Amino acid sequence: MTLFERIIARQIPAEIVYEDDQVIAFHDISPKAPIHVLLIPKKVIPRMGEVQPSDVGVLGHLLLTVPLLALKLGVAETGYRLVINNGSDGGETVPHLHCHLLGGRPLGWPPG
Ligand code: 5GP
């Protein structure tokens, strides 16, 4: 099981902020901003580079969840950033597709 599957299965504790039948969102254990939440599909897709046409439904649902999550986290008005790391240069460390939602302070650009 991936680390995130173990969180979905409640084998590892996490501060869950949203969950439905297709996705789950929880606070990152090592936050890089005042708000740093990981939004992931429950289906294990290793990374963006491996998405399949059959994933269109879950990926669409994941993105449609973002504004609801942002409202819930209090950053809908102030703004936020979505990040998906892919592969070693992208900084991916967990091979289970996840979207970082970062906010709560002005975020620099370009990223490091
Ligand atoms: P990546 O580097 O793959 O884009 O993101 C993985 C993220 O998972 C990192 O930001 C890291 O802090 C977070 N993370 C790693 N282990 C855990 C954990 O056990 N619980 C939670 N909530 N987040 C984790």
Side-chain angles (χ1 to χ4, degrees), residues 18-55:
Y18 178 82
E19 181 172 22
D20 62 30
D21 59 327
Q22 296 188 72
V23 299
I24 187 168
F26 49 87
H27 287 278
D28 196 292
I29 203 168
S30 176
K32 303 299 185 287
I35 299 293
H36 186 174
V37 163
L38 302 174
L39 173 62
I40 74 173
K42 289 185 171 177
K43 176 186 176 187
V44 181
I45 302 167
R47 59 191 57 81
M48 274 308 298
E50 294 180 42
V51 297
Q52 302 296 322
S54 57
D55 296 324

Side-chain angles (χ1 to χ4, degrees), residues 3-4 7 12-15 26-32 36 38 84-85 90-95 98 100:
L3 173 66
F4 293 162
I7 287 177
I12 294 176
E15 201 182 335
F26 49 87
H27 287 278
D28 196 292
I29 203 168
S30 176
K32 303 299 185 287
H36 186 174
L38 302 174
I84 299 177
N85 296 326
E92 174 202 317
T93 59
V94 179
H98 49 283
H100 299 254

